Amino acid sequence: MIKNLLHIILLITITAFVGCTSNSKNTATYFGGKIINPKSKYVVLFSMEKVIDTLFLNKDNRFLGKLENANEGLYYFAHGNENQFIYLEQQDSLMLRLNTWDFDESIVYAGKGAERNNILIDCFLQEERDNKMFYKLNQLTPDKFIKKTDSLLVLKDKTFKEYAMNHPGETKGFNRVLNVALTYPIFSRIEKYPIAHLRYKHKKDFHKVNKSFYKHRASAGVNNDSLMYYQPYSKYVRNFLYNSTYSLGHKPMTNEYSSDFTVDLLKTIDKNITSDASKNAILKQTVISHFYKKSSCNVNKEAFETYFKLSTNTKDKEHVKLLLLDSEELHKGQELVDFTITDLTNGTYSIKEITKNRNTFLLFWNPENTTPMYISSRINYLSRQFPDVQFIQIKIDGSAQDRIEQLDIKNQFFITEDSEANKFLTSKMTRSIIINKEGIITNGFASISSKKLYSDLKKLRDH
């Protein structure tokens, strides 16, 4: 009843926004709605990774966008630090209502195109709920696990057929996306089962499975460029690639991946991903993420050499080369070089003044690599664990407006284009540097997301 009422309210909104422009010749696509407890003054609409439009909220926190001759397919919108996918077609008038305090769970769609988007958000929320169930399923033997997933896939197929029967006018494109939304999260969990089962059961080696365990691979694809940014699809592709690489004989790895594993994974990507655009993107993401997982200046040279050999994207390779050059600057055991940083009142300070006689964690961040929400979550957690360590956040190419709301403003800075810090941040990639009370670097390229960071900070505290 409540949901139906919300639909009625939203339909009234649609009429107010677009009723006067609707006619049989209109091919425009509308996307709008209302944001409750907004986190910013706008909503950004994306297609793949390209910004389509920035939609500003009015005084009632409503927004509306109009797309002329929109291509049918998946889009996603972002507000604050969160985002969600939508499927649009020409002549849609999709309206949403969401409360940022409960972002995904609060989303309700109305208008033309609403039914397909409501089932997609239902699929997303069901996958979130399935996490607890799979925690238990991953502890089962392979035979029992696959029986459970087979049963789940039967239910997913039933849901798909019922929707298709009740919506005969849906396009092949949407039906393909709906099928992915329903089934690929299950396929993904099947691919992840070997490593998940090992961790939950505290084993040292993988459980053997027969070939029929992966029967889904006969129908599941890994080469649809238009779906590569869609989480259910991309997550499956990632788990398939990692599982396929483990099957070559590698032992399980947790804290970091060996150079041999990374090399084989890059070759597995090259072998299985046929699209140059997707292949290059996954190759770059893999070699960089494995470097960050090591959380040190030490570079797996063979892995990077393999990447440079396999990637055909010159711009990507130049960017990765800059990251390697950055890793050669400021090593463990060196004294921290001096450079200037600017606070959010535009006051300028020497980094040596800020870190003098204090154990310090410097985080140089870039929103293209990590979100303010993730930074605040990690820094707040680490600050509680290590109260004697000073945590400083420094925005690369920043300004006085770049505050992370959930963190102490006194510990937030940015670097300008004339700062000496730019010499070791040529790639503009997020980087952390740990310094002891004597001003000596104990880790020149730590990673805020690495499991090794905790032990690094513990050593600093106990020094």
Side-chain angles (χ1 to χ4, degrees):
M1 180 64 185
I2 293 175
K3 195 167 187 177
N4 289 336
L5 179 60
L6 291 175
H7 279 205
I8 292 170
I9 293 171
L10 285 168
L11 283 169
I12 293 172
T13 302
I14 293 168
T15 303
F17 270 134
V18 303
C20 62
T21 62
S22 297
N23 60 66
S24 59
K25 296 181 180 181
N26 180 30
T27 60
T29 301
Y30 293 90
F31 171 60
K34 181 170 183 175
I35 308 292
I36 299 171
N37 300 310
K39 298 295 185 181
S40 68
K41 297 180 180 179
Y42 53 85
V43 172
V44 183
L45 183 64
F46 294 82
S47 174
M48 304 287 276
E49 288 293 274
K50 182 181 178 182
V51 175
I52 299 300
D53 202 355
T54 300
L55 312 172
F56 289 92
L57 305 184
N58 66 16
K59 61 182 177 61
D60 298 317
N61 296 328
R62 301 181 188 277
F63 69 94
L64 180 67
K66 179 181 179 181
L67 303 178
E68 297 288 357
N69 302 313
N71 293 323
E72 176 191 346
L74 278 168
Y75 296 74
Y76 72 92
F77 66 91
H79 177 74
N81 296 319
E82 301 196 66
N83 61 71
Q84 188 54 259
F85 284 90
I86 54 175
Y87 195 94
L88 294 177
E89 297 178 9
Q90 282 194 10
Q91 296 184 307
D92 276 354
S93 52
L94 184 66
M95 296 291 144
L96 69 81
R97 178 185 187 278
L98 74 81
N99 188 331
T100 62
W101 290 354
D102 202 12
F103 194 94
D104 297 313
E105 291 80 359
S106 71
I107 292 177
V108 180
Y109 296 105
K112 192 171 185 295
E115 286 190 88
R116 74 175 78 98
N117 284 288
N118 280 321
I119 194 171
L120 287 183
I121 194 67
D122 286 345
C123 291
F124 173 84
L125 295 175
Q126 184 59 51
E127 183 187 357
E128 296 283 298
R129 290 190 289 269
D130 284 347
N131 284 332
K132 290 182 179 180
M133 177 179 64
F134 271 91
Y135 176 81
K136 295 180 179 179
L137 294 185
N138 283 324
Q139 300 178 49
L140 300 176
T141 61
D143 289 344
K144 291 181 178 179
F145 175 86
I146 207 66
K147 285 182 180 179
K148 291 288 187 181
T149 55
D150 284 347
S151 297
L152 288 171
L153 287 169
V154 169
L155 295 176
K156 301 294 185 182
D157 184 58
K158 181 181 178 182
T159 299
F160 176 79
K161 288 178 178 177
E162 287 179 352
Y163 183 88
M165 181 179 66
N166 293 324
H167 301 81
E170 286 292 7
T171 64
K172 290 182 179 179
F174 176 72
N175 284 335
R176 182 166 55 248
V177 168
L178 177 58
N179 184 55
V180 167
L182 287 165
T183 60
Y184 274 57
I186 308 297
F187 296 162
S188 183
R189 294 177 190 277
I190 295 172
E191 294 289 348
K192 194 174 181 179
Y193 167 81
I195 192 72
H197 177 75
L198 176 141
R199 289 171 180 169
Y200 290 137
K201 301 297 285 186
H202 305 291
K203 293 185 176 181
K204 295 183 179 180
D205 211 343
F206 292 113
H207 208 306
K208 291 183 179 180
V209 298
N210 56 44
K211 290 184 179 180
S212 65
F213 190 84
Y214 300 114
K215 55 185 177 292
H216 64 274
R217 291 179 180 176
S219 60
V222 294
N223 281 294
N224 191 323
D225 269 4
S226 65
L227 292 176
M228 204 59 80
Y229 289 98
Y230 187 42
Q231 186 182 15
Y233 189 87
S234 62
K235 194 173 181 180
Y236 168 73
V237 172
R238 181 182 186 278
N239 286 347
F240 165 77
L241 293 169
Y242 274 77
N243 194 25
S244 297
T245 305
Y246 271 122
S247 70
L248 299 176
H250 292 281
K251 296 295 182 182
M253 282 162 265
T254 53
N255 290 334
E256 64 181 86
Y257 295 106
S258 69
S259 181
D260 288 342
F261 181 88
T262 304
V263 168
D264 279 345
L265 176 57
L266 294 172
K267 291 178 179 178
T268 299
I269 295 166
D270 182 60
K271 177 182 176 181
N272 288 278
I273 307 299
T274 57
S275 160
D276 282 345
S278 293
K279 179 187 295 186
N280 288 331
I282 298 172
L283 287 171
K284 182 183 180 185
Q285 186 275 333
T286 299
V287 75
I288 288 178
S289 66
H290 284 208
F291 168 71
Y292 273 90
K293 200 172 181 69
K294 284 177 65 65
S295 193
S296 77
C297 291
N298 297 328
V299 173
N300 287 335
K301 292 183 179 180
E302 186 180 0
F304 279 97
E305 288 171 359
T306 302
Y307 164 75
F308 289 125
K309 178 181 177 181
L310 297 179
S311 175
T312 59
N313 188 307
T314 302
K315 185 178 180 181
D316 280 355
K317 290 194 281 190
E318 289 302 319
H319 189 210
V320 173
K321 287 177 182 177
L322 290 177
L323 177 64
L324 293 179
L325 288 174
D326 290 343
S327 72
E328 294 174 1
E329 300 288 334
L330 305 184
H331 283 192
K332 178 179 180 180
Q334 294 181 349
E335 183 178 352
L336 179 67
V337 297
D338 201 13
F339 55 88
T340 58
I341 56 177
T342 307
D343 68 13
L344 300 192
T345 64
N346 285 316
T348 302
Y349 299 86
S350 156
I351 194 63
K352 287 202 170 186
E353 293 176 5
I354 298 291
T355 61
K356 186 177 181 180
N357 299 323
R358 296 197 65 179
N359 290 329
T360 305
F361 179 88
L362 299 177
L363 170 64
F364 299 89
W365 66 281
N366 184 335
E368 293 185 8
N369 310 131
T370 188
T371 66
M373 178 179 287
Y374 180 74
I375 292 172
S376 63
S377 174
R378 287 291 288 158
I379 294 297
N380 281 324
Y381 170 78
L382 293 169
S383 297
R384 290 192 297 269
Q385 299 299 311
F386 302 95
D388 295 331
V389 176
Q390 174 180 224
F391 290 88
I392 302 293
Q393 303 88 54
I394 306 170
K395 171 80 181 300
I396 300 171
D397 293 341
S399 71
Q401 283 72 48
D402 290 318
R403 182 183 179 184
I404 302 176
E405 293 294 337
Q406 297 81 3
L407 296 176
D408 189 343
I409 193 172
K410 296 193 298 294
N411 293 327
Q412 297 186 55
F413 301 83
F414 62 94
I415 55 173
T416 57
E417 60 181 14
D418 58 347
S419 173
E420 293 292 308
N422 290 297
K423 291 183 178 179
F424 58 83
L425 296 168
T426 62
S427 66
K428 308 299 182 182
M429 295 284 287
T430 297
R431 173 179 188 171
S432 299
I433 299 175
I434 304 175
I435 309 107
N436 64 22
K437 293 178 180 179
E438 289 75 38
I440 303 300
I441 297 170
T442 61
N443 190 333
F445 214 120
S447 170
I448 192 174
S449 61
S450 174
K451 292 181 179 180
K452 295 176 65 179
L453 182 59
Y454 193 91
S455 61
D456 283 343
L457 292 174
K458 189 174 184 299
K459 290 177 183 177
L460 184 69
R461 181 189 64 190
D462 298 340
H463 172 67

